[in-house]
Amino acid sequence: MRAFIASSIGVTCAAALVLPLAAPAGAAPDTPVHPATAGSVPAEASDPARVPGSTQSLALNPVASPSVRATGAPAAAAAEQGLPERDVEPFSLVGVVWDDVNTELHGTAQVRTRATGTGHWSDWQDLETHNAEHSADAGTAERESGAARGSTAPLWVGDSDGVEVRVRPEAPGPGEAAEAPVPLPAGLHLELVDPGEDPQEPAGTGQAQTPVTGAAGTDRASALGAAVLPALSRAATDEAAGFAPAAKPYIGPRPRIITRKGWGADEKLRESGFAYTKTVKAAFIHHSATGNNYTCSQAPSVLRGIYRYHVKSSGWRDIGYNFAVDKCGNIYEGRAGGVTKAVMGAHTLGFNTNTMGIAVLGTFTSSNPPAAAVNAVSKLTAWKLGLFGANPKGKVTLTSGGSNKYKKGRKVKLNVISGHRDGFATECPGARLYKKLGTARTSSAKLQGR
């Protein structure tokens, strides 16, 4: 019973799927780990020396609890795992992974980090342990590739060069005193991610280098190296989307979007092919659960850290989200494949088909999301949902691919703009952000002209 409750209640949102790597992160060249999608071109093995950023993967060891030490029991009897304070190579984002993607971590995972330069150690910080709800759906090539690992959500800690970690199993609840704690998953590793340097061209100043004519032109501009897709007027948006001048489609003006090049995505990390669904019927809103201790100028680094963690540590084909939004309202392209296309992500277990995932960078369980971020969600959904004829204030029926809330095959009626918790029993996107979704729906619909 305890295991069922732990897996169904209090689950929190973040960015990490569920897939095992063939080798520890950082130990092998950055080659694809998933079967190539039909029609894709296999990626060439890259030179690790040319890959910006890095990942340190450190195996956790058994740690004797105070009760074990007091009784003199052997260290092997310790249920806790961790690492003592230690010096490490510089990193800025941290998470914990384990071997089996289908095993949950029933317990707590906490880290302390030492800031580079000052030598100051942080207090203990929690990692979101229930993260399986961010995942590719069962039966998909990404899920079944054998590359996925179980993982916590990653946490942004800023420039650091020291770390300590402890992972403790869940204590027995009331009436369960005789039960032993649920064992921790096998193969626990601490992942320390260095996101690498920012692009030479600042993401905030880049401009599209290719004329943006039509939806294909929008994606071509991104693919050919534009750091930013500039905002378009409503008339220009209609033209870019291919609507006739006399038509009156319900579509919001295209907002300014920082492309993968703009935030410095290393395209050698991800799988070379793309996976698409038929349409985009709904948007699921998430928080990244990486914490709020970042500046907007650091947002590209946060994204590169999440991207590397999703691919190299969790074993996904690419970053899980289709788009991201920072606290200042900047919008970022997420999973590769074209910002105007129906790219299948790994963001809402059971509902990745015919939807898109938008992550607001931060944790909004007890902190309010900035108005700029909510406004950006409205702008983005008005445009992207409009391309596919979806009404932001409407309802849509989706077929579940299987989650802890809706069994596989069940038809579910949801809001076109939904929170992650609407499709999965989770706290995501955080109570404070979830309360703002009504505002986002109304604003998005107005931008569409409804």
Side-chain angles (χ1 to χ4, degrees), residues 90-107:
F91 70 98
S92 296
L93 183 137
V94 58
V96 170
V97 301
W98 53 93
D99 292 342
D100 188 355
V101 68
N102 295 312
T103 298
E104 286 210 50
L105 195 167
H106 297 291

Side-chain angles (χ1 to χ4, degrees), residues 17-25 57-60 81 96-105 143 145-152 184-191 309 312-316:
L17 193 177
V18 276
L19 293 137
L21 294 179
S57 187
L58 308 175
L60 302 191
Q81 293 190 37
V96 170
V97 301
W98 53 93
D99 292 342
D100 188 355
V101 68
N102 295 312
T103 298
E104 286 210 50
L105 195 167
R143 176 80 183 206
S145 68
R149 275 174 151 176
S151 56
T152 69
L184 294 174
L188 287 171
H189 278 71
L190 179 67
E191 303 287 290
Y309 184 78
K312 299 301 294 179
S313 300
S314 300
W316 304 3

Side-chain angles (χ1 to χ4, degrees), residues 15 30 83 85 95 104 114 131 171 203 218 220 252 269 279 292 303 357 391 425:
D30 290 319
L83 291 173
E85 289 185 9
E104 286 210 50
R114 185 181 64 204
N131 196 48
T218 296
R220 190 178 305 116
L269 288 182
T279 186
N292 301 321
L303 268 177
N391 181 354

Side-chain angles (χ1 to χ4, degrees), residues 297-332:
S297 64
Q298 291 176 319
S301 293
V302 176
L303 268 177
R304 292 197 304 276
I306 294 172
Y307 172 42
R308 178 174 281 274
Y309 184 78
H310 281 183
V311 176
K312 299 301 294 179
S313 300
S314 300
W316 304 3
R317 62 182 301 150
D318 195 349
I319 191 170
Y321 305 117
N322 297 105
F323 294 93
V325 171
D326 69 23
K327 62 175 67 175
C328 291
N330 295 305
I331 298 170
Y332 302 85

